[in-house]
Amino acid sequence: MYDGRSVGVVVPAYNEAGRVDEVIETMPGYVDRIYAVDDASTDETWADLRDCAQRVNGRAAESSPERGAGPPRVITIQHERNRGAGAAVKTGYSRALDDGVDVIAVMDGDGQMDPAHLERIVAPVAAGEVTYAKGNRLSSRRDYERMSRWRLFGNVVLTLLTRVSSGYWEVSDPQNGFTAISNEGLRRVRFERLYDEYGFLNHLLFALNLGREEIADVSHPSVYGDETSTIRYSTFIPRLSALLARNFVERIGRSYVLRQFHPLVVCYALGAAVTLTGIFGGAYTLASASVDAFLGGMLSVTVGAIGGLLLTLGMWFDVSENDDLVRSVPEPREPVRPEPGVDADPEIGRDQRFPVFQDGGEVTRPTEGESE
């Protein structure tokens, strides 16, 4: 239990033998239920999960007889065929809802999520401040330096595209699977119809925005080891791009046409049409010898610029409509330790501390108007 709320953690795993057991073993004590889902791994992941569950459940029964008489702390689930990262999370979500868990978190089985930061992900959801909380590994220069250049580039691009698609314009690191969601919020988003592959997290943000749900973006450090990504970029990029485009069109239609009409629809539609006209006009000018290159080029640039301005205006409307839906939670700052030989008087600023003599002498603090 955390703050009077039951907590469950879904641990999706695919070919994570040798890593997923450590994720489960190091789960904080306030976690009531762990749903370890093996997505038809081809290595020893399932065997590791079963062995680890037996150990953890045995220790839980010994330390708490009442727990031993009830459902086990670790519940292992295996897919008969590989269904995708999103499907594994959805399987865990379904079991957690069946068990009536109040807050359902997700920690991947690859060990990239430090369990010490799980409390910061769970806390705003358990307190009822937000419906959904997610991790953010892009909040500082330190995090950028830990991430590979290719991974960082892909993450930044996906962040920009997901902001446009989902309507959460202040969210970052959308592929971060370190998340928590309330029981009520999970039921409202109809998660069972969401994407089964790696685009599940992006699709979930879209579904949350349709319900105007408030979310938290929780900064935490990145953790990388010797794990390798199973993403096939040749199929992942086209599929995710198509998903984000569909989400954007559906969000605009449902939020700004069906729910209430908003002029940003006109800005987006007209801006896209005018921009494409300028682009195709420029291409035609370059390909046709019968059109004056200078005049045709200037006209195409002007039309394209007008279209770009209309799109920008539409985005400005969109940002304004979705303002304050994202709550940023920074990493806690480490307490400042006083330097040796410095008086750490809390009433004095750090730059105004006075030295203390080691021989027992002291410095007289000047009164107002006097100099030292």
Side-chain angles (χ1 to χ4, degrees):
M1 299 286 286
Y2 182 88
D3 197 21
R5 308 265 284 175
S6 58
V7 177
V9 178
V10 179
V11 182
Y14 177 70
N15 289 347
E16 301 294 354
R19 289 185 288 265
V20 67
D21 53 345
E22 184 178 355
V23 174
I24 296 174
E25 291 276 6
T26 58
M27 202 66 70
Y30 55 82
V31 175
D32 301 283
R33 202 71 53 81
I34 303 169
Y35 302 92
V37 183
D38 173 30
D39 192 27
S41 298
T42 57
D43 63 0
E44 298 300 315
T45 296
W46 179 240
D48 283 1
L49 285 178
R50 296 294 298 273
D51 292 341
C52 182
Q54 187 175 7
R55 293 194 305 271
V56 173
N57 290 336
R59 289 198 300 266
E62 292 176 0
S63 61
S64 178
E66 60 273 14
R67 179 188 286 273
R73 187 183 187 217
V74 181
I75 297 174
T76 55
I77 308 167
Q78 184 183 39
H79 287 170
E80 294 183 356
R81 60 179 179 83
N82 183 262
R83 294 165 51 189
V89 174
K90 288 158 65 174
T91 296
Y93 276 164
S94 296
R95 289 295 299 270
L97 288 182
D98 291 341
D99 292 342
V101 177
D102 296 321
V103 180
I104 305 102
V106 177
M107 288 181 63
D108 290 341
D110 56 11
Q112 290 189 10
M113 299 167 186
D114 188 347
H117 293 280
L118 178 61
E119 181 179 3
R120 300 180 55 243
I121 302 288
V122 169
V125 179
E129 298 172 356
V130 298
T131 299
Y132 178 74
K134 57 170 290 299
N136 177 12
R137 299 163 296 183
L138 298 177
S139 60
S140 68
R141 182 181 181 85
R142 174 207 62 196
D143 299 325
Y144 299 155
E145 293 173 349
R146 289 180 179 177
M147 193 175 293
S148 68
R149 298 300 96 183
W150 173 247
R151 188 191 294 263
L152 177 61
F153 171 76
N155 216 322
V156 170
V157 171
L158 278 178
T159 292
L160 295 175
L161 294 178
T162 302
R163 286 176 176 177
V164 176
S165 175
S166 70
Y168 287 115
W169 289 90
E170 299 173 37
V171 78
S172 296
D173 195 15
Q175 293 304 110
N176 193 324
F178 202 1
T179 67
I181 190 169
S182 68
N183 183 298
E184 300 82 2
L186 189 57
R187 294 182 186 276
R188 287 195 295 267
V189 297
R190 297 171 56 194
F191 69 93
E192 65 279 351
R193 67 186 179 90
L194 300 182
Y195 197 59
D196 281 344
E197 302 292 341
Y198 281 103
F200 170 78
L201 294 168
N202 310 79
H203 206 182
L204 179 57
L205 286 172
F206 152 80
L208 287 164
N209 185 270
L210 288 181
R212 309 293 295 172
E213 306 285 357
E214 295 187 10
I215 71 173
D217 212 27
V218 183
S219 300
H220 68 90
S222 55
V223 179
Y224 298 112
D226 58 353
E227 66 281 340
T228 58
S229 175
T230 59
I231 298 177
R232 296 180 181 178
Y233 289 97
S234 59
T235 57
F236 170 71
I237 293 176
R239 289 177 180 176
L240 182 59
S241 299
L243 174 67
L244 293 176
R246 289 197 304 270
N247 289 349
F248 172 75
V249 173
E250 183 176 352
R251 180 177 68 86
I252 296 300
R254 293 178 62 175
S255 298
Y256 303 120
V257 176
L258 298 180
R259 181 184 299 166
Q260 62 172 4
F261 182 79
H262 195 285
L264 70 81
V265 177
V266 177
C267 294
Y268 273 138
L270 192 59
V274 173
T275 300
L276 289 175
T277 300
I279 292 174
F280 285 118
Y284 178 77
T285 298
L286 294 176
S288 176
S290 61
V291 178
D292 183 273
F294 177 76
L295 293 178
M298 288 297 295
L299 181 60
S300 298
V301 170
T302 302
V303 171
I306 294 174
L309 289 175
L310 287 171
L311 289 175
T312 302
L313 180 60
M315 289 184 182
W316 182 81
F317 281 135
D318 204 359
V319 172
S320 300
E321 287 294 314
N322 291 279
D323 194 24
D324 296 330
L325 286 182
V326 180
R327 173 191 171 192
S328 296
V329 182
E331 287 187 53
R333 300 182 63 179
E334 297 182 0
V336 179
R337 298 180 179 179
E339 300 176 3
V342 174
D343 179 15
D345 189 340
E347 296 181 357
I348 304 175
R350 186 170 62 179
D351 297 331
Q352 297 176 322
R353 292 174 183 158
F354 295 89
V356 177
F357 294 104
Q358 301 300 321
D359 60 358
E362 61 184 54
V363 174
T364 303
R365 300 178 182 175
T367 57
E368 186 175 355
E370 293 181 344
S371 63
E372 294 183 76

